[in-house]
Amino acid sequence: MQEFCSFSLNSLKSWLEQSGEKSFRAPQIFDWIYNKGATSFEEMTNLSKPLREKLAASFRFPALKLIRTLESEDGETIKYLWELADGQRVESVLIMSGTRRTVCVSSQVGCPARCAFCASGREGLIRNLSTAEIVEQVLHIDRTLKVKGERVSHIVYMGMGEPMENYDAVMESIYLFNDPNAFHISQRRITVSTVGVVEGIERLAKEELAVNLVLSLHAPNQHLRKKIIPYARKYALEEILMAMDRYALETKRDITYEYTLLAGINDRSQHAEELTRLLSGKQCTVNLIPYNPVEGLNLRRPTKEAIEGFRDILVSAGITTTWRYTKGKDIAAACGQLAVQKREPLALVSPV
Ligand code: SAH
């Protein structure tokens, strides 16, 4: 059975035509799913009964089952744990900041990048998510917000997984997030974060939609980067940076370099100085993210002084630098804390 939310409006139109139905039904069905909150095809009362039955027999919806939610103490961050049809589990995070409602989505179960500081890739890649499994993370969260008169406003591909290693499904989900018949989220409000997959960056530059792109840099040279990110062996840092420059040029989008600060590893002033040389002349922002402790990892977050010292070196060199305040720490929903979930319930997570 095919998953409904993997279908674009056009592919649904083709499916309807091939099934002997009228293609104008496609936007009506999209409206039920993406705007009216339908939980089954049966509810779609402006469709004939035989069509509703045909849809129900042909499509799986929903593809995700909500297992638990967990809300941070300040109420601004909610973590969602989903179960997929094959029993695998993934997480998403809703971050509420002012009027922004950002969903941090997962693109894979596990991750092939295996960054030393990140919880998601500790067991490597388990499998890619389908388009529907990505789209529904946002759909179900959007439905809970709608009850309060709110909608999801921003999407970041910064949950579990490497989006560029699941390129087609990620791109199809981006087109659905942007589609006025579905979520209608502007391309400027969608951000893809990558560990640095050169072919992926090049392909993304040629897409009709131009989203914001973030490179997880974490080191000012290839030698240190390879130690922190085993996956970094695949591409020379120079090549990745060139692909990022071309992306910025072709799409006119913002480029951000993320740098997770790890005490004693990449947080010294010599690293900051090398970073200013590496990025000199580039139109970009550096986002410094102090390491969030992950259970079982022998790494430390730098002191406040070390973080500020690092930032000051970048700022003095004229590099726009932000220091990400990580939300949701008390519920392990901060950066890189989304782990592959075992089937046993986690002590931390409470039932919905
Ligand atoms: N694979 C993609 C998307 C995952 S998001 C990528 O590598 O960009 C990854 C981001 O989460 C990284 O840039 C890093 O900034 C952040 N991150 C992961 N684990 C972290 C941790 N323990 N502490 C702080 N930031 C972390």
Side-chain angles (χ1 to χ4, degrees):
M1 206 189 256
Q2 316 178 74
E3 292 163 321
F4 180 81
C5 291
S6 285
F7 275 66
S8 66
L9 190 68
N10 279 338
S11 53
L12 184 60
K13 282 181 182 169
S14 310
W15 184 89
L16 285 164
E17 277 166 5
Q18 280 159 22
S19 313
E21 302 287 343
K22 297 276 186 287
S23 63
F24 73 83
R25 295 292 179 198
Q28 294 176 340
I29 302 168
F30 260 45
D31 190 42
W32 278 107
I33 297 286
Y34 294 109
N35 295 310
K36 291 200 185 116
T39 53
S40 71
F41 297 104
E42 190 46 42
E43 291 165 44
M44 303 182 178
T45 46
N46 56 350
L47 309 182
S48 69
K49 193 147 175 46
L51 175 55
R52 281 184 269 160
E53 281 167 2
K54 203 185 279 183
L55 291 166
S58 308
F59 293 109
R60 173 162 44 217
F61 178 81
L64 297 189
K65 189 165 117 201
L66 180 62
I67 299 295
R68 291 185 198 88
T69 58
L70 192 65
E71 195 167 327
S72 63
E73 259 167 44
D74 60 13
E76 290 183 356
T77 308
I78 306 176
K79 182 156 93 163
Y80 294 78
L81 172 64
W82 313 101
E83 189 167 273
L84 315 175
D86 62 357
Q88 293 290 349
R89 291 178 172 195
V90 288
E91 298 177 336
S92 325
V93 184
L94 167 64
I95 304 143
M96 293 174 273
S97 177
T99 55
R100 278 187 186 214
R101 298 291 174 268
T102 305
V103 178
C104 177
V105 293
S106 292
S107 55
Q108 298 180 311
V109 185
C111 184
R114 309 193 87 133
C115 300
F117 50 79
C118 180
S120 299
R122 292 180 73 186
E123 296 184 31
L125 174 66
I126 297 169
R127 75 163 169 89
N128 278 335
L129 293 186
S130 66
T131 305
E133 288 165 341
I134 301 172
V135 167
E136 285 193 22
Q137 295 172 49
V138 177
L139 177 64
H140 300 305
I141 294 175
D142 195 51
R143 287 179 172 191
T144 64
L145 287 175
K146 234 184 262 168
V147 177
K148 301 188 279 178
E150 299 174 349
R151 300 293 302 258
V152 171
S153 62
H154 293 70
I155 314 271
V156 294
Y157 288 79
M158 290 188 184
M160 295 165 64
E162 168 48 46
M164 297 290 192
E165 286 278 358
N166 185 15
Y167 189 93
D168 292 336
V170 163
M171 215 49 233
E172 282 166 20
S173 67
I174 289 175
Y175 279 99
L176 271 166
F177 291 140
N178 183 251
D179 185 346
N181 291 287
F183 296 90
H184 206 185
I185 295 173
S186 154
Q187 49 192 327
R188 291 167 190 275
R189 293 176 166 207
I190 301 174
T191 301
V192 170
S193 180
T194 179
V195 73
V197 181
V198 172
E199 301 88 338
I201 299 170
E202 285 171 349
R203 267 180 90 182
L204 195 65
K206 293 187 178 63
E207 294 287 345
E208 223 168 277
L209 287 180
V211 297
N212 301 311
L213 185 59
V214 173
L215 177 73
S216 292
L217 185 58
H218 311 317
N221 60 62
Q222 176 76 345
H223 180 70
L224 181 57
R225 195 164 185 266
K226 278 196 300 199
K227 288 193 176 163
I228 299 173
I229 313 172
Y231 187 95
R233 286 191 201 103
K234 278 193 153 186
Y235 302 95
L237 181 53
E238 280 286 288
E239 253 186 86
I240 301 175
L241 293 179
M242 268 157 47
M244 293 295 287
D245 284 346
R246 283 196 299 273
Y247 187 84
L249 201 70
E250 286 172 31
T251 62
K252 313 269 181 297
R253 283 293 174 267
D254 302 339
I255 294 296
T256 302
Y257 293 100
E258 298 224 277
Y259 196 104
T260 299
L261 286 161
L262 306 163
I265 295 175
N266 64 0
D267 68 333
R268 305 225 169 96
S269 51
Q270 84 231 30
H271 298 125
E273 280 152 15
E274 201 178 344
L275 188 59
T276 65
R277 290 194 292 277
L278 189 73
L279 300 181
S280 82
K282 293 192 193 301
Q283 268 287 348
C284 66
T285 300
V286 172
N287 190 7
L288 296 175
I289 307 168
Y291 166 66
N292 280 309
V294 172
E295 219 187 286
L297 294 185
N298 192 17
L299 295 165
R300 280 173 306 115
R301 171 184 275 241
T303 60
K304 195 162 173 278
E305 292 70 43
I307 298 167
E308 285 172 357
F310 198 98
R311 180 198 59 196
D312 291 347
I313 293 172
L314 299 187
V315 171
S316 318
I319 297 177
T320 310
T321 308
T322 57
W323 168 1
R324 191 198 284 177
Y325 163 74
T326 42
K327 287 174 174 282
K329 269 196 285 182
D330 58 328
I331 56 168
C335 297
Q337 292 188 320
L338 303 185
V340 173
Q341 297 285 339
K342 299 280 183 327
R343 298 219 46 141
E344 315 82 69
L346 282 179
L348 252 178
V349 191
S350 60
V352 182

